[in-house]
Amino acid sequence: MLSLRSSFGRLSLRAQSAGTVPKSTVKNTTFVNDPAYDVTRFIRFSSADAAPVASNVQSEGTVVKFLHLNNISDNKGAIKRGRRVGRGIGSSKGKTCGRGHKGQKSRSGGGVRPFFEGGQTPFHKTVPKRGFTNPHATPMVPVNVGTIQDYIDMGRLRVGTADDPITIKDLCDAGITKKSTVKHGVKLLANGSERLRSSIQIEISRASKAAIDAIEAANGTITTIHYNRLALKVLLKPHRFDIIPKRARPPPKLMSYYTSFENRGYLSPQVQLRMKGISLDDEE
């Protein structure tokens, strides 16, 4: 007997009473009124049973449910229907729908903005404010000469030569700082200068007067070079560029710093002659 569970429930009960289909099978199986639909593929039989027929199903079989797109559903209790308001007092949200009687918050579209305190001076206005954040600041990553000497002693950083000096990329590759933390450049400081004994050749964004004296006291050279954001990206991540762009000149505010020999700026005449291999004594 082929029947649907909802429309042909009485017919399936008659089939059970007549012994055509077992009760245990009809309880867990839904038959479809289609001759081409094979019901037996939903039922698993043991090897001892004969080949089953739709009209003669063995009671020892177990129902196997297959997951298809037409029977996918959420778990029980996964979706909770929202309460419908304004449907009488029996719904617990009738008449005023939980908004109470009158007032600004009971009106359609009514209400107050967040953190509204009823008209009194709000809290964020009573708290005093101090200081500000400079949007034009260019904070530098500090690196000490003592740290550079320690990494040279460990063999993680080279000394550098006049043709191939130490750069910010070498400091990042050695692990002294991270590339992600270098936003505007690196400044060299003089902490640990008493341990400095290697004559290092270095190019860096800025340097303190004490750091310059410590490096030159150890027969080293230092050159301060301006790097904007694009120049830093080219220096630290050259693999991202097919064509290396030309380095930008310093802005007017920083021009005096990089043209000063006291700061060992790369635009000063003395440093320009030194980079070309010409000393002042030869010029004289």
Side-chain angles (χ1 to χ4, degrees), residues 217-238:
N219 298 323
T221 58
I222 181 171
T223 306
T224 57
I225 298 179
H226 170 70
Y227 296 99
N228 58 2
R229 298 297 294 269
L230 179 61
L232 276 177
K233 182 178 281 190
V234 172
L235 177 65
L236 299 178
K237 301 175 182 178

Side-chain angles (χ1 to χ4, degrees), residues 24-25 28-29 40-46 49 57-65:
S24 60
T25 305
N28 296 323
T29 306
T40 60
R41 70 188 184 94
F42 290 96
I43 306 174
R44 184 179 297 160
F45 297 92
S46 60
D49 298 331
V57 182
Q58 300 293 332
S59 61
E60 291 82 1
T62 58
V63 176
V64 179
K65 295 184 178 180

Side-chain angles (χ1 to χ4, degrees), residues 149-168:
Q149 182 62 53
D150 294 339
Y151 275 75
I152 291 175
D153 295 339
M154 289 187 291
R156 298 177 60 177
L157 185 65
R158 59 190 179 86
V159 177
T161 61
D163 298 331
D164 189 16
I166 299 173
T167 60
I168 299 176

Side-chain angles (χ1 to χ4, degrees), residues 71 73 75-76 82 90 112 133 159 171 179 205-206 239 245 281-283:
N71 59 8
S73 62
N75 295 328
K76 186 177 181 180
V112 296
T133 300
V159 177
L171 301 179
K179 295 180 181 180
S205 301
R206 296 181 191 177
H239 59 278
D281 299 334
D282 297 341
E283 201 61 34

